[in-house]
Amino acid sequence: MVIPYSTQSINQDDIDSVESTLRSSYLTQGPAVAQFEEAIADYCGARYAVATNSGTSALHIACLAIGVGEEDWIWTSSNSFVASANCARYCGAKVDFIDIDVETGNISIHALEEKCRNITEKKLLPKAVIAVDFAGQPCQLKALKALSVQYGFFIIEDASHALGAEYESCKVGSTQYADITVFSFHPVKIITSAEGGMAVTNDEDLAEQMRLLVSHAITRDEQKMTDCSEGGWYYQQIGLGFNYRLTDIQAALGLSQLKRINEFHERRVLFKKQYDDFFSEIDHEIVEPLTIERNTQSSHHLYVILIKNNKRKLWYDTLKAKGIFVNVHYIPIHTQPYYKQCFIRWKIPQPFLPNTLQYYQQALTIPLFPSMTDVQQNEVISSMKNIMLTQQ
Ligand SMILES: *Cc1c(COP(=O)(O)O)cnc(C)c1O
């Protein structure tokens, strides 16, 4: 039996939705994309949503929309997928990394505050902080917002893990704190469109910028043109954009998946609780799950445990050998050779992130996904029990 750490759940409705798009007039640039955008905006309570062909491209256009360029610094946490930092590099910006809270894996507000306070020149403050809602738990957004006001930076919330999560009873993406919130619909995430992403915002100008950027910055809106339209065929390219469009086939899948999100969430909550029950019997000096803060509701994208007795590799290898495909989220971005090279070029020291490194030594993601069965979860639990009995 092979058990992945996460995988998609596709049912007949999903297949029917994709099939009907395949049989329609539009495979791309048709009605499904706009419907998907509206459905996500409605779901998370955002005013505007712009679909993209990946979470990564959504992060890229979010950076461009707020004006990130070569002179700028972007700060993010190192405990994330490389895309959280790469999006800034695509704009030529430099990236620095903030330490995390070990208990949650999220950006440490304390470390961020301290770093802001120690900056002596205004131009070294970040243009934006990319706040990653790690494992589906929202960052401490109110405190983040207070710092963003004090020090004058934008907040891009990388909510690739966190569709459906809540911060103080507000859905992630209702964006009263973040300027732009980004979701990913990669198959391992909360819902999938195969590849795909979405950037949501309450700011009309940012939404308009992002809408242009996903399709070559081409407009057919005469209001935006430098001259009058020359006829029905006429368009103008008014900036430098990309082809970051989601297809209608993908949007059809995303739409049908979104209808199932409550069902998915209930399954995740159930499995999360069953793991919690198991770990509540275990000495937390040895193994401890991540902490969920009281003012957040996680989407439970990942179930991460911290193995504190230096046996993480043993756990990984033993479980993997049994077909339980556990994973490690994440290898700290700042330790990647590419970024090490960057720090040398930018003449800054390697970021000092003790919590991130400690977390990385201990973290293991165990399987949790909506289509997991009780039999599979019991297999994971009994295998972990076995490791603790025989190897500790
Ligand atoms: C998945 C992910 C991304 C990138 O999303 P893609 O859709 O794969 O491009 C970015 N940030 C985080 C934290 C992710 O988990």
Side-chain angles (χ1 to χ4, degrees):
M1 179 161 62
V2 166
I3 309 175
Y5 82 87
S6 182
T7 188
Q8 70 274 17
S9 160
I10 300 293
N11 72 5
Q12 192 59 45
D13 289 345
D14 295 321
I15 293 166
D16 291 346
S17 180
V18 170
E19 186 182 334
S20 74
T21 300
L22 281 170
R23 294 182 190 285
S24 78
S25 317
Y26 294 99
L27 300 186
T28 190
Q29 296 180 282
V33 171
Q35 284 165 18
F36 187 35
E37 289 173 337
E38 200 179 318
I40 290 283
D42 278 355
Y43 174 76
C44 67
R47 287 178 64 192
Y48 307 99
V50 178
T52 57
N53 58 7
S54 72
T56 305
S57 48
L59 285 168
H60 184 194
I61 60 167
C63 287
L64 288 172
I66 64 168
V68 174
E70 284 179 14
E71 299 304 307
D72 295 317
W73 282 94
I74 296 294
W75 293 358
T76 187
S77 48
S78 187
N79 177 38
S80 186
F81 187 54
V82 291
S84 304
N86 289 347
C87 56
R89 294 293 304 127
Y90 301 153
C91 308
K94 296 177 210 145
V95 185
D96 205 350
F97 296 90
I98 312 298
D99 214 354
I100 57 169
D101 290 324
V102 177
E103 300 74 25
T104 64
N106 274 342
I107 190 167
S108 158
I109 298 297
H110 174 74
L112 177 63
E113 199 272 331
E114 192 169 84
K115 194 170 168 83
C116 286
R117 196 160 15 90
N118 289 335
I119 293 280
T120 48
E121 284 178 79
K122 197 160 184 295
K123 69 174 195 332
L124 297 177
L125 280 166
K127 175 90 175 187
V129 169
I130 298 179
V132 181
D133 296 334
F134 180 72
Q137 168 164 217
C139 296
Q140 287 302 308
L141 293 169
K142 201 180 269 178
L144 195 60
K145 178 72 181 174
L147 289 176
S148 88
V149 171
Q150 185 178 353
Y151 291 99
F153 56 78
F154 289 89
I155 299 172
I156 296 175
E157 189 174 358
D158 182 347
S160 295
H161 298 181
L163 184 66
E166 292 181 12
Y167 175 77
E168 299 197 336
S169 305
C170 292
K171 280 244 155 58
V172 160
S174 61
T175 59
Q176 45 174 319
Y177 304 108
D179 295 283
I180 298 172
T181 300
V182 167
F183 300 111
S184 163
F185 308 124
H186 182 276
V188 298
K189 308 289 165 77
I190 301 294
I191 64 167
T192 190
S193 60
E195 296 285 354
M198 192 89 71
V200 305
T201 181
N202 286 332
D203 184 306
E204 191 179 353
D205 290 337
L206 292 178
E208 213 165 277
Q209 276 300 317
M210 293 195 289
R211 171 128 352 260
L212 278 168
L213 287 164
V214 291
S215 200
H216 306 281
I218 278 174
T219 183
R220 291 174 184 277
D221 176 356
E222 208 164 347
Q223 303 275 312
K224 297 198 186 96
M225 292 182 188
T226 54
D227 315 282
C228 296
S229 171
E230 294 171 8
W233 67 87
Y234 193 68
Y235 58 79
Q236 279 191 343
Q237 183 193 340
I238 57 174
L240 184 61
F242 307 86
N243 179 351
Y244 278 170
R245 295 185 302 261
L246 191 72
T247 67
D248 276 51
I249 304 169
Q250 293 168 311
L253 178 55
L255 267 167
S256 125
Q257 287 263 301
L258 186 60
K259 293 196 184 113
R260 303 175 59 203
I261 194 167
N262 291 339
E263 166 207 331
F264 289 164
H265 185 70
E266 277 167 28
R267 299 285 294 169
R268 287 182 180 277
V269 168
L270 176 75
F271 292 126
K272 189 260 180 199
K273 190 171 175 313
Q274 283 167 185
Y275 279 140
D276 281 353
D277 289 346
F278 170 69
F279 287 110
S280 70
E281 308 285 316
I282 309 290
D283 182 356
H284 280 187
E285 298 293 311
I286 299 175
V287 185
E288 189 179 20
L290 286 190
T291 305
I292 310 281
E293 305 214 47
R294 265 201 300 267
N295 62 351
T296 72
Q297 236 191 65
S298 177
S299 66
H300 307 302
H301 167 53
L302 302 174
Y303 198 95
V304 175
I305 56 175
L306 300 174
I307 298 161
K308 300 179 178 177
N309 56 358
N310 258 325
K311 295 260 169 73
R312 195 267 312 274
K313 187 164 190 303
L314 176 105
W315 280 58
Y316 179 92
D317 291 339
T318 310
L319 293 167
K320 190 84 183 276
K322 297 193 97 179
I324 300 171
F325 282 47
V326 290
N327 210 329
V328 173
H329 296 95
Y330 285 97
I331 305 159
I333 305 173
H334 76 288
T335 65
Q336 295 292 351
Y338 172 76
Y339 282 98
K340 285 187 179 168
Q341 281 298 320
C342 285
F343 302 137
I344 294 169
R345 252 190 294 136
W346 303 333
K347 300 186 170 57
I348 61 165
Q350 269 238 46
F352 175 65
L353 308 172
N355 289 355
T356 303
L357 296 181
Q358 182 195 320
Y359 167 91
Y360 171 57
Q361 292 305 317
Q362 299 179 345
L364 189 71
T365 304
I366 60 177
L368 194 164
F369 49 94
S371 58
M372 186 159 79
T373 62
D374 284 326
V375 172
Q376 287 177 317
Q377 185 172 38
N378 289 335
E379 168 82 13
V380 177
I381 288 175
S382 67
S383 301
M384 294 191 298
K385 234 183 233 167
N386 198 41
I387 294 175
M388 283 183 277
L389 281 175
T390 57
Q391 312 275 5
Q392 303 286 359

